[in-house]
Amino acid sequence: MPEASKKRVLIADDQPDVLEALRLLLKPEGFIIDTAASPAAVLEAAGARDYDLVLIDLNYTRDTTSGNEGLDLLSRLRELDELLPVVVMTAWGSVSSAVAAMRRGARDYLEKPWDNRRLVSLVRTHVELGRALRETSLLQTENRLLRRAGVPELIAGSRAMAPVLTLLERVGPSEANVLITGEHGTGKEIAARTLHARSARAERPLVIVNAGGLSEGVFESELFGHVKGAFTDAKADRVGYFELADGGTLFLDEIGNLPSRQQAKLLRVLQTGEFQRVGSSKTRTVDVRVISATNVDIAREVSEGRFREDLLYRLNTVQIHLPPLRDRPEDIPHLAAHFLKTQAARYHARATGFDREATSALLEYAWPGNVRELEHVIERAVLMAEASQVRLEDLGLRGRREGADRLEEMTLEEAEKFLIRKALARSQNNVSRAAELLGLSRSALYRRLQQYGIDAS
Ligand SMILES: Nc1ncnc2c1ncn2[C@@H]1O[C@H](COP(=O)(O)OP(=O)(O)OP(=O)(O)O)[C@@H](O)[C@H]1O
Ligand SMILES: [Mg+2]
């Protein structure tokens, strides 16, 4: 095979014998193999040339098995190149590392000791897939915020969800700005995607912005863009989210956390439809439909003076409230079956159903983290299950119920604090890990820690 058409694979492990074994295995398959013995060496190599695939171990320093080094490395690689396929090797039986790695964007995982045939076929598949993805993405406008991927299926057969479905149906095709409210993980984003997909703007971009997570310093430049030289770091012109969403939909997530100065700036644009890039005096106009979402009680934010009423009226032409999962138990079996199917396919697992005990546990549990928590529980169960039926113990729900009972007597704020403390305890005060357990972004968790005066050190 000519050298140029050969695929290049980078392998990383701190054990020389593992590197050697993998090299001997993959070289005869026509791959060019580079090796690295530390995360730093991987980043250096990946920064220096293009690879078709990177295969990394999760643990580097001897005697650690947490996988944290590998997970960090994975995130850094993703930052470097979103489309670079990364496959991770995990210690045998360490389900949680595999889950964490897949959540951070690993394409697949392999347990050590590996099966040679599976390893080779997995490397081949992801190299091919990776090339195909790169080609497709070259054709698309290069911006990862433009997520036009198909709308995920919305499961909502329960009576509590009927008004939501009606609204999505009626309001979707309109041009109305919509505010979506609901607790964490109730499906606000999936509702926003559904609205966009049903609108005349469906072929145009849906741009998703975590509005509550933008710091004061970058807010304007992110939303409205800037011109080269507008400030020290402005090395080139930058298009803002509003312009990216032109003709399409802008989804402003976590709007309830928007600080008041930024509320004023946003209001101005929504009133006039006009804005300027930072550092430019040229007035630009865009045609954007705004969908926003929040899990805070926005009416209370308004009455307590934290959220501008005039801005709320611009945003909530129509308001859609997503009920918590505990108020729509009929949906649980359907959601569980749906997640079981998708996760089993993703992990090549064989689970196809739940046994009786597991089913009733799913129904009884209070689901403080709503649909997202259910999805995570099923994801884990898919990996734990040894038979085709998921059993009660695979769900790992036991012991959580006590807390869940008490949760019903708490205010939302008390419950939030309670869950945050619990997640911190479970993760030994590792904020990133706690955020993951809570289904929050790291910055969203930090904000809450500040708000509630919780010390995570
Ligand atoms: N009705 C549903 N049918 C199928 N999947 C759902 C449904 N509701 C939520 N999901 C899935 O559950 C997960 C959480 O949903 P989503 O991200 O939309 O929630 P959210 O309300 O935006 O949460 P947060 O407030 O934490 O941002 C997603 O993976 C989503 O696809
Ligand atoms: Mg969300």
Side-chain angles (χ1 to χ4, degrees), residues 153-155 184-190 295 335 371-372 375:
E153 190 185 345
L154 187 82
I155 292 167
H184 283 300
T186 44
K188 296 184 292 296
E189 182 168 330
I190 201 178
N295 47 44
L335 284 163
V371 185
R372 170 168 301 114
E375 186 176 20

Side-chain angles (χ1 to χ4, degrees), residues 45-63:
R49 71 181 327 146
D50 285 336
Y51 284 95
D52 286 289
L53 181 114
V54 182
L55 178 62
I56 60 169
D57 188 38
L58 282 187
N59 299 301
Y60 290 86
T61 328
R62 283 293 161 89
D63 302 328

Side-chain angles (χ1 to χ4, degrees), residues 1-7 32 52 131:
M1 202 184 295
E3 200 74 351
S5 68
K6 280 193 173 180
K7 317 283 160 67
I32 301 173
D52 286 289
R131 288 224 163 173

Side-chain angles (χ1 to χ4, degrees), residues 58 65 90-99 109 111:
L58 282 187
T65 49
T90 62
W92 189 80
S94 71
V95 166
S96 55
S97 321
V99 172
Y109 72 98
E111 275 179 344

Side-chain angles (χ1 to χ4, degrees), residues 242-259:
F242 266 95
E243 278 177 82
L244 284 170
D246 197 12
T249 306
L250 183 63
F251 177 44
L252 299 174
D253 205 358
E254 304 217 40
I255 195 81
N257 298 329
L258 200 65

